[in-house]
Amino acid sequence: MLYFSKVKTTLIWVICALGVVLSLPNFVKPDALPDWLNAPRVHLGLDLQGGAYLLLEVDGESVTKERLDGTVDGVRTALREAGIGYRNLAAGATDVSFTLIDRGRESAMRAALRPLLNGATPGLRDFDLEITPTDQVRLILSETAIRAAQTRAVEQSVEIVRRRIDETGINEPVVARQGQNRILVQLPGIDDPGRIKRLLGQTAKMSFHLLAEEPGPGVRLLPMADSAQAGPTMPVRTKVEVDGARLRDAAATMDSRAGEWVVTFAFDSVGAKRFADISTRNVGRPFAIVLDGKIISAPVIREPITGGQGQISGHFSAQSAHDLAVLLRAGALPTPLTVVEERTVGPDLGADAIRAGLIACAVGFVLVVGFMAVSYGLFGLFANIALLFNLALTLAALSLLQATLTLPGIAGILLTLGMSVDANILINERIREEVRRGASPAAAMEAGFRRAFATITDSNLTTLIKMLLLYAVGTGTVKGFAVTISLGIITSMFTATIVARWLMVAWFRAKRPKVLALSRLLRLVPDVTRIPFMKGRNVGLIVSLLLSLASVGLVYTPGLNYGVDFAGGTVVEIRTEGPADFPALRDSMAQLGLGQVTLQQFGAPTDLLIRFERQPGGDPAQQQAVSLIERKLAEDFPAATIRRVDSVGASVSAELFESGMLALGLAAIAMLIYITIRFEWQFGIGAVVTMILDVTKTVGFFALTGMQFNLTAIAAILTVMGYSINDKVVVYDRVRENLRRYRTMPLRELIDLSINETMSRTVGTSVALFLATLPLALFGGEAIRDFALVLLFGVVLATSSSIFIAAPILLFLGEHRLRRSPDSDSNEEKHLRRDEAS
């Protein structure tokens, strides 16, 4: 019924008002609003405000090795104290072994080693002890103990990384565990990501040792951190006199006497006592301060140091002294961390991205609103008002979730515009149909909303399923894109079917029109069409199959241009003062010996991309290459600005590729299941086969154009899949409806009828999506342009495949299955045949 109770009306407008109020803080500065209005707001992603994204990996093998090395010392001590003879004591990959000299001492040996076997958890053992017939004893570290040690190392590393970052004063950092052995770090707005990488990559294990007079047992040669201070190596006793874990505080200060920066430190009570004892007994001897296997200072003990305080000198700058103090205060990492993925964006590039995104959004909004206004007149105006509330509610939801808005997220908002009006187009076209059939204005409006609701629900749910899959297997900005689209679809269900309906009902009750006259200023398709699409079904299928086979061939030759996400390697975007000197840059980069170097202009003549292939030697070698590139650019091209660095190691690139392919596969399976449940299996197979053909052509489009195939490409393909299924659902829904309405009409005629009846909606929605996406290609900037071009291609592809591929497949599969025994013609069918005859 065309009626809303006062309670419903109040609830609708309270929700809309809340959406507007909660979205307002995103458009003004925090201090410009009263305190009660300072609600949560959307955070800008790194690609919009600049900053660094680092994915760190804990070295699990190092954790195990350290545990076994410590056990070797424990075994040596325990056997010596028990007077048990042994030889060949050593640590293996997962065990500690030695040869027992006297087998008769086996019981005593077991008793001596028993404390080492038991773990921290009662009832569990870290080591299993076994003795071979050759008297070799093995202490085998259990898988449970290995996993527990690695878990503790990751947890400690997360806390230490967080403390180190907090010490630098960075605002709103994100430090979180990701997966089994990785740590995600997001640092918005930083100017020097290299410094942060150095802080996080340094283990910072400090210890104090006595120097030896010459190499020998219990002595190791260690290099100097500053080679100018002394020779390349110095003999250091392996025994740790004082552990750096006993440090209580550290600070960078200026030594007024020497006129240089130093780092002062203070021990806790245990460390102070130990330091006092050592310094008292060793006056006149050099004392080495070792950090991560390098000597940073080796002063001579002039007098006993009993106050528990000291200082480290080492030709520090203010920055390096401060960084060392940060490391010492935060504590040592239990194991080294390796950067396996790095993405840094300069603040100027972020500002450019914001400007491009805002322009694209403004233009896209104007185009979509204008299209709806000229296509549907007053009802188009109601749809536009609902669209405004949809944007407000989407922003409000993102704000409440304190989500991060990225450049693909802005693209998602624009796409939401096009997808949101799809529901209004469906409703308005349904109302038009009812009016043509002679329904009264009230009946036409009621039937239009009621009959369109199921189609709207099905089409939106299919898109939501794919976005959930994209969120589940995606990463970084791709997740943001999926969240934005999902929230936009959910809010559009409310605004299109409730807010727009309330506006129409309010207008109807106020005006009581005798006739509904929807605008005819712009009619892309005539009201009634009778195009015999199924006559060309064989040609359509053959052409589609040939294009898909050609696309598969293009994947192999010339092949896909895999981006850094999937291929690994490093991409550096720079901006030069004048037009980029490609030969000079190529020669400079070639001197680094990092393999093949590819240079590519990226937009303006002053902007270019420098791409390096994945480095042999794993993730550590990849990070060393990044440092070399940055230093070389600073030396040879000091006026150039590094705007962006993307570096992905081999392990991450393989995982990203697998997750991307998994998303595509799961999406196809999910669509088959959903459509089969909601319709029949013939509909499900027809939709999924057509979607797969659309995907192959889209992948072929990537191969043909040479555009990078990366995570953003997967997001684009999933979006094309979403629209492809969305369009098929609309046509199939009309086929299902007509199957119930026209019991004896041949399936071929019925499918043609259904396509013609939904032609206005199909073309209208395609045009709206095209208009929403076009500004991304024109104004969205280089970073999002390829994404937009793929979507434009996908809109055209999905629209045509709904007619020429999905419908013929349904005809072939359902011609003798979707029809039961013929009944008498319904009144509507007889009426339709009379119309066609006339």
Side-chain angles (χ1 to χ4, degrees):
M1 293 180 62
L2 295 180
Y3 174 75
F4 281 87
S5 67
K6 290 184 178 180
V7 174
K8 288 183 179 179
T9 298
T10 301
L11 184 61
I12 291 168
W13 292 108
V14 165
I15 293 173
C16 291
L18 280 174
V20 173
V21 170
L22 291 173
S23 64
L24 277 179
N26 295 291
F27 299 99
V28 296
K29 296 180 179 178
D31 54 1
L33 290 174
D35 292 339
W36 63 272
L37 256 181
N38 273 329
R41 59 182 63 214
V42 175
H43 299 293
L44 294 181
L46 299 181
D47 55 352
L48 295 180
Q49 66 169 320
Y53 166 101
L54 301 172
L55 188 61
L56 310 172
E57 188 170 75
V58 175
D59 186 353
E61 293 183 0
S62 175
V63 174
T64 304
K65 183 178 183 302
E66 186 171 340
R67 175 66 190 276
L68 293 171
D69 288 344
T71 304
V72 168
D73 292 337
V75 169
R76 180 183 293 113
T77 302
L79 294 179
R80 284 179 178 175
E81 289 179 352
I84 298 171
Y86 65 92
R87 62 174 178 268
N88 302 328
L89 175 62
T94 58
D95 65 358
V96 172
S97 63
F98 62 90
T99 301
L100 182 64
I101 295 176
D102 183 2
R103 188 64 180 259
R105 302 295 309 277
E106 179 181 337
S107 298
M109 180 268 298
R110 290 181 178 274
L113 297 183
R114 189 173 294 116
L116 297 175
L117 304 180
N118 297 327
T121 305
L124 294 179
R125 302 179 68 180
D126 285 357
F127 288 92
D128 295 319
L129 191 147
E130 67 175 31
I131 303 178
T132 68
T134 58
D135 296 337
Q136 186 180 38
V137 182
R138 296 179 65 214
L139 281 72
I140 304 170
L141 188 60
S142 67
E143 287 294 329
T144 303
I146 292 174
R147 287 195 298 270
Q150 293 180 353
T151 299
R152 286 194 300 271
V154 174
E155 292 172 350
Q156 292 171 12
S157 297
V158 169
E159 184 58 34
I160 291 168
V161 166
R162 184 177 289 113
R163 288 205 300 263
R164 289 184 183 182
I165 291 174
D166 288 344
E167 290 277 358
T168 65
I170 295 173
N171 292 324
E172 299 181 351
V174 175
V175 180
R177 181 175 178 176
Q178 188 173 80
Q180 183 68 27
N181 63 338
R182 288 178 180 165
I183 303 171
L184 170 67
V185 179
Q186 292 186 15
L187 308 170
I190 65 171
D191 297 324
D192 185 7
R195 177 193 168 215
I196 301 300
K197 282 196 298 179
R198 289 190 296 273
L199 282 176
L200 299 183
Q202 196 164 349
T203 310
K205 287 190 176 181
M206 177 172 279
S207 54
F208 297 81
H209 304 254
L210 289 171
L211 287 181
E213 295 181 358
E214 58 184 22
V219 176
R220 56 177 175 165
L221 295 174
L222 295 181
M224 298 294 299
D226 182 359
S227 59
Q229 185 177 359
T233 60
M234 299 181 70
V236 177
R237 296 193 181 278
T238 56
K239 181 182 178 182
V240 176
E241 302 294 347
V242 186
D243 196 315
R246 292 298 178 183
L247 289 176
R248 176 173 51 83
D249 194 14
T253 59
M254 172 64 75
D255 188 338
S256 58
R257 293 175 297 177
E260 63 179 14
W261 282 94
V262 298
V263 176
T264 60
F265 60 86
F267 288 107
D268 61 14
S269 57
V270 175
K273 183 179 184 303
R274 178 66 179 162
F275 196 60
D277 293 341
I278 296 299
S279 61
T280 300
R281 294 199 308 267
N282 294 278
V283 172
R285 296 184 61 184
F287 198 60
I289 304 173
V290 178
L291 180 69
D292 290 342
K294 292 184 178 181
I295 302 171
I296 58 174
S297 183
V300 175
I301 302 174
R302 302 297 182 188
E303 58 187 12
I305 305 172
T306 57
Q309 296 180 342
Q311 73 176 33
I312 306 169
S313 60
H315 302 286
F316 295 115
S317 64
Q319 185 70 72
S320 62
H322 176 74
D323 288 349
L324 178 57
V326 166
L327 292 172
L328 298 181
R329 286 198 301 270
L333 289 168
T335 182
L337 298 177
T338 303
V339 179
V340 295
E341 184 180 1
E342 173 191 354
R343 302 181 192 273
T344 60
V345 178
D348 57 334
L349 182 59
D352 290 347
I354 292 175
R355 183 166 54 252
L358 290 177
I359 292 173
C361 278
V363 175
F365 182 79
V366 170
L367 290 176
V368 172
V369 165
F371 171 73
M372 291 298 292
V374 298
S375 296
Y376 299 104
L378 182 62
F379 281 17
L381 176 62
F382 294 153
N384 289 335
I385 294 172
L387 189 61
L388 282 170
F389 284 116
N390 179 43
L391 288 176
L393 288 169
T394 302
L395 275 176
L398 289 170
S399 300
L400 288 175
L401 293 174
Q402 296 191 17
T404 300
L405 183 64
T406 61
L407 194 56
I410 292 178
I413 290 176
L414 260 180
L415 282 174
T416 300
L417 290 178
M419 298 172 77
S420 297
V421 297
D422 176 46
N424 295 109
I425 290 174
L426 274 167
I427 293 167
N428 289 333
E429 290 299 333
R430 275 291 193 173
I431 292 173
R432 263 202 179 113
E433 285 185 45
E434 298 301 322
V435 170
R436 287 199 300 270
R437 289 176 179 172
S440 66
M445 290 172 61
E446 178 63 29
F449 276 97
R450 176 171 46 81
R451 292 185 172 179
F453 185 78
T455 307
I456 293 170
T457 301
D458 284 333
S459 61
N460 283 337
L461 278 178
T462 56
T463 305
L464 270 177
I465 290 171
K466 279 181 289 298
M467 289 303 111
L468 289 174
L469 288 172
L470 186 59
Y471 181 84
V473 302
T475 182
T477 57
V478 175
K479 283 183 179 286
F481 172 79
V483 169
T484 305
I485 290 283
S486 300
L487 290 176
I489 289 172
I490 294 170
T491 55
S492 72
M493 288 286 290
F494 171 75
T495 56
T497 61
I498 297 179
V499 176
R501 183 173 185 172
W502 187 95
L503 293 170
M504 290 183 185
V505 169
W507 166 80
F508 180 82
R509 292 173 68 84
K511 298 295 183 181
R512 296 289 179 180
K514 301 298 182 183
V515 178
L516 287 181
L518 276 73
S519 172
R520 292 183 177 271
L521 291 177
L522 178 65
R523 293 297 290 150
L524 298 173
V525 177
D527 287 341
V528 178
T529 59
R530 294 189 176 91
I531 303 173
F533 290 105
M534 291 303 97
K535 284 186 177 180
R537 61 188 182 279
N538 292 327
V539 174
L541 285 172
I542 291 171
V543 170
S544 175
L545 185 60
L546 289 175
L547 288 175
S548 290
L549 289 174
S551 297
V552 173
L554 288 171
V555 171
Y556 292 97
T557 305
L560 292 170
N561 177 21
Y562 289 106
V564 68
D565 293 334
F566 295 156
T570 301
V571 172
V572 181
E573 180 184 344
I574 68 170
R575 171 167 289 176
T576 56
E577 277 191 326
D581 187 344
F582 277 74
L585 278 162
R586 188 174 288 107
D587 291 343
S588 175
M589 295 296 102
Q591 295 172 16
L592 296 175
L594 300 177
Q596 183 179 356
V597 182
T598 304
L599 274 65
Q600 175 189 346
Q601 187 171 320
F602 191 67
T606 57
D607 296 342
L608 76 155
L609 297 178
I610 308 174
R611 179 169 177 170
F612 294 82
E613 60 189 9
R614 194 167 62 196
Q615 298 299 306
D619 297 324
Q622 188 82 9
Q623 282 306 303
Q624 291 175 6
V626 173
S627 300
L628 286 174
I629 295 164
E630 292 173 342
R631 285 200 299 269
K632 188 66 173 174
L633 286 171
E635 292 171 3
D636 295 353
F637 305 93
T641 303
I642 298 178
R643 291 162 59 83
R644 174 169 62 95
V645 177
D646 288 347
S647 181
V648 180
S651 58
V652 173
S653 62
E655 291 170 12
L656 292 178
F657 184 79
E658 290 173 5
S659 65
M661 295 302 102
L662 180 64
L664 296 179
L666 289 177
I669 295 171
M671 292 305 96
L672 177 62
I673 294 172
Y674 180 82
I675 295 177
T676 299
I677 292 173
R678 289 288 291 144
F679 296 85
E680 299 283 347
W681 66 265
Q682 294 91 346
F683 292 87
I685 291 176
V688 171
V689 170
T690 308
M691 182 180 70
I692 292 173
L693 292 173
D694 287 348
V695 168
T696 57
K697 296 182 185 73
T698 307
V699 174
F701 181 73
F702 275 99
L704 187 64
T705 58
M707 292 189 296
Q708 285 197 7
F709 193 76
N710 50 24
L711 275 176
T712 305
I714 296 295
I717 291 174
L718 277 170
T719 306
V720 171
M721 290 171 67
Y723 180 66
S724 176
I725 287 291
N726 183 300
D727 206 40
K728 277 72 178 165
V729 165
V730 172
V731 176
Y732 281 177
D733 186 75
R734 185 59 64 96
V735 171
R736 179 177 59 178
E737 181 181 327
N738 285 336
L739 282 170
R740 294 192 296 263
R741 180 182 295 173
Y742 308 118
R743 302 280 181 170
T744 60
M745 181 183 291
L747 187 60
R748 173 178 164 182
E749 294 179 22
L750 187 141
I751 290 176
D752 274 340
L753 173 65
S754 302
I755 295 173
N756 280 283
E757 286 180 341
T758 56
M759 184 65 65
S760 292
R761 175 267 163 196
T762 298
V763 174
T765 299
S766 298
V767 170
L769 267 172
F770 199 92
L771 292 175
T773 309
L774 185 62
L776 287 173
L778 297 177
F779 310 110
E782 293 291 335
I784 207 71
R785 185 166 297 159
D786 288 356
F787 177 82
L789 289 174
V790 175
L791 293 186
L792 292 175
F793 172 80
V795 168
V796 176
L797 179 68
T799 302
S800 60
S801 67
S802 298
I803 298 170
F804 299 108
I805 312 300
I809 291 176
L810 180 62
L811 177 60
F812 285 129
L813 294 175
E815 191 147 24
H816 302 294
R817 296 179 179 86
L818 293 176
R819 283 301 188 193
R820 303 291 183 260
S821 57
D823 298 329
S824 59
D825 289 2
S826 65
N827 291 332
E828 285 186 90
E829 185 168 2
K830 293 176 181 177
H831 181 69
L832 176 70
R833 292 188 181 278
R834 284 198 301 270
D835 286 346
E836 290 178 340
S838 62

